[in-house]
Amino acid sequence: VAATVAKAKAHRAALAAAEAATAAARGADFSMDTSLNAAAPCLPLPAPAPQAALAKGARCVEQSSKASSNLASNPSCAAADGQAPSTEGSIDASALSELKSELTCPICQDPFLNTNTLECGHSYCEPCVNAWLCKCLSCPICRAPVDKPPIRSRTIDKAVACTLQSNNKTAYESLLQRQNEYDLEVKKDLETKIKLEVVLEKAAQKGLRCVHIARVWSEREQ
């Protein structure tokens, strides 16, 4: 019994010693952390900008804004300062000139009138291309053979009318005059065609037939 009691006391003493050592170690760590925190340097905060510096910056921004507005309202100032003046107007004029050249008939050198487009994609005035095709069945520009009748391009006619009406009143009035004159010619041709059809119908009723005037007639035809 005495030996058992002695072992128990020794065991308790060992536990107490272990607890004391643990507590001592924790105290040492805590003291080290607090010493490090106390020794850490503090970072300085940026000082607020003085009111005089802020006022100077505001004046600079205001002067820059005024200078920009003056250059925008008076381009000659920019040219005097060595800067190139705006070329927006010249670019528009160049584009307009190119557009007018694209809307001009290559044959008569006038704005398109009743635009007709061939199979190859080239376009001409209707009276110009009709007169040309009566002599030669090929495109006047690329000489591609023409096997189908030209196609009316109403979109190009609309572009021509809008361009001239907006930029050249004189040319637009000339276009209207050409249109009226051509409409009269087309009306006369239509009346002639109707008369010819009547004559051919009467000839067919009498048993007559047409002969080709560009070749030599036979004895029977004579």
Side-chain angles (χ1 to χ4, degrees):
V1 174
T4 302
V5 172
K7 289 181 179 180
K9 289 182 178 180
H11 182 67
R12 292 175 182 172
L15 291 177
E19 291 179 356
T22 301
R26 288 178 179 176
D29 292 340
F30 177 76
S31 61
M32 184 179 295
D33 291 340
T34 55
S35 63
L36 290 175
N37 291 336
C42 296
L43 296 177
L45 295 177
Q51 294 295 328
L54 292 177
K56 182 178 180 181
R59 287 195 300 270
C60 292
V61 172
E62 183 178 0
Q63 292 175 358
S64 178
S65 300
K66 288 182 179 179
S68 300
S69 61
N70 290 336
L71 289 176
S73 61
N74 190 2
S76 60
C77 295
D81 292 340
Q83 301 178 4
S86 175
T87 58
E88 183 178 358
S90 60
I91 294 176
D92 291 342
S94 176
L96 180 60
S97 177
E98 183 178 357
L99 177 61
K100 289 181 178 179
S101 65
E102 292 294 331
L103 299 179
T104 300
C105 175
I107 297 178
C108 65
Q109 296 298 312
D110 287 329
F112 283 125
L113 174 67
N114 290 13
T115 311
N116 277 218
T117 303
L118 301 179
E119 300 174 71
C120 58
H122 293 119
S123 300
Y124 308 91
C125 294
E126 185 175 271
C128 295
V129 73
N130 285 344
W132 174 271
L133 294 178
C134 288
K135 303 176 182 178
C136 182
L137 292 178
S138 63
C139 174
I141 294 179
C142 64
R143 303 299 179 181
V146 177
D147 300 324
K148 297 180 181 179
I151 300 175
R152 178 72 182 274
S153 302
R154 300 186 183 276
T155 303
I156 297 180
D157 291 339
K158 185 66 175 178
V160 170
C162 293
T163 302
L164 296 181
Q165 191 174 11
S166 302
N167 300 280
N168 194 334
K169 299 293 184 180
T170 303
Y172 179 67
E173 294 175 357
S174 177
L175 177 66
L176 294 180
Q177 183 178 357
R178 291 172 56 209
Q179 183 70 59
N180 293 334
E181 293 175 355
Y182 181 66
D183 290 343
L184 291 176
E185 293 180 3
V186 171
K187 184 178 180 181
K188 292 180 180 180
D189 291 342
L190 181 58
E191 294 174 353
T192 303
K193 179 183 178 182
I194 294 175
K195 292 179 181 180
L196 180 60
E197 290 176 349
V198 172
V199 172
L200 293 176
E201 185 178 356
K202 290 180 179 180
Q205 292 175 357
K206 294 180 181 180
L208 302 177
R209 66 188 183 89
C210 295
V211 294
H212 204 292
I213 63 174
R215 64 176 176 81
V216 180
W217 293 349
S218 65
E219 294 181 358
R220 182 180 178 183
E221 291 173 345
Q222 293 178 7

